[in-house]
Amino acid sequence: MKIAVEGCMHGELDKVYDTMQRLEAAEGIKIDLLICCGDFQAVRNESDLQCVNVPPKFRTMNSFWKYYSGQAVAPYPTIFIGGNHEAANYLWELYYGGWAAPNIYFLGFAGVVKFGNIRIGGMSGIHKQHDYHRGHHERPPYDNATIRSVYHVRHYDVLKLMHVKEPLDIFMSHDWPLGITEYGNWERLLREKPFFTEEVHQRKLGSESAAKLLNKLKPPYWFSAHLHCRFPAIIQHGEDGPTTKFLALDKCLPGRNFLQVLLSPLSRSF
């Protein structure tokens, strides 16, 4: 089984699927699944577009609506989590997970699914401590505050994932686990993104809730997006414990590292 991992989709399904098809042709491979680490932007119509927290100049329909309406069918099974730029009204309808369009599955605000023999877990949104214990209270029509807080991770959702008992093969979060830069080449990261310097040095870059889940679940692979750059890391859990291979990916733009295809088995469950 070969799985393609994508960073921030930003509604560019046509471009990502086309990239995958060209990669298949060039490499002589068959990709079985696409997973996306947030900012998917499942926008069905103009009303949905008004529920996406982006500046007006970025409020464009892009291509998800084609797959929702039936004008096009996703050429690959696709599983995604939510980020901080989503049609929050639509994803709230699928809070526990569900089919956002034929062959396109939303993992929910916190969820686990099985694809073949692969168990995939994920958490939508980003961590903001001031909203963490508040519960989900937002409802459309959103105001300037709730259009942002609706995608903030809540303790209730993290707690559900902390109770997962069966091993996971893959986990997805939109923002990075707090402290993850300590396990990779943070100097190179700061050369590429110098405005992260203070957060990295003060150990403030990333999500505290994602770090708790990483330490509890210890999946072989963890994928993230959000910060619009590629960053690999390897986490050793204890002296003799398992390892987690972490990879953050960029957004879908020409010349950016937004897609990674896993050509070798992820774990023994393959």
Side-chain angles (χ1 to χ4, degrees), residues 67 191 229:
Y67 300 91
R191 287 195 295 271
C229 61

Side-chain angles (χ1 to χ4, degrees), residues 231-250:
F231 182 78
I234 298 178
I235 303 92
Q236 176 73 47
H237 299 284
E239 195 170 313
D240 299 312
T243 59
T244 296
K245 293 181 179 178
F246 171 85
L247 180 64
L249 290 165
D250 209 330

Side-chain angles (χ1 to χ4, degrees), residues 128-135 137-138 145 148-150 152-155:
K128 293 292 182 181
Q129 189 60 39
H130 60 273
D131 284 323
Y132 187 58
H133 292 283
R134 294 190 66 191
H137 61 88
E138 300 85 0
R148 293 171 173 81
S149 66
V150 67
H152 293 163
V153 170
R154 305 301 157 93
H155 176 252

Side-chain angles (χ1 to χ4, degrees), residues 208-227:
E208 182 180 350
S209 50
K212 290 178 180 178
L213 288 169
L214 173 61
N215 292 329
K216 171 65 167 61
L217 300 174
K218 302 177 176 62
Y221 283 81
W222 186 296
F223 300 108
S224 297
H226 188 43
L227 298 183

Side-chain angles (χ1 to χ4, degrees), residues 5 23 73 91 94 100 111 121 130 154 185 190 205 219-220 232 237 245:
V5 185
L23 181 61
V73 177
L91 295 192
L94 301 171
H130 60 273
R154 305 301 157 93
N185 190 340
L190 295 185
L205 185 72
H237 299 284
K245 293 181 179 178

Side-chain angles (χ1 to χ4, degrees), residues 67-80:
Y67 300 91
Y68 179 81
S69 67
Q71 181 173 320
V73 177
Y76 305 91
T78 302
I79 299 172
F80 73 97

Side-chain angles (χ1 to χ4, degrees), residues 157-177:
D157 298 313
V158 176
L159 193 62
K160 289 191 292 184
L161 290 166
M162 291 289 282
H163 281 81
V164 171
K165 297 188 183 303
E166 293 184 40
L168 297 175
D169 297 290
I170 295 172
F171 195 88
M172 293 186 288
S173 64
H174 187 57
D175 49 1
W176 304 9

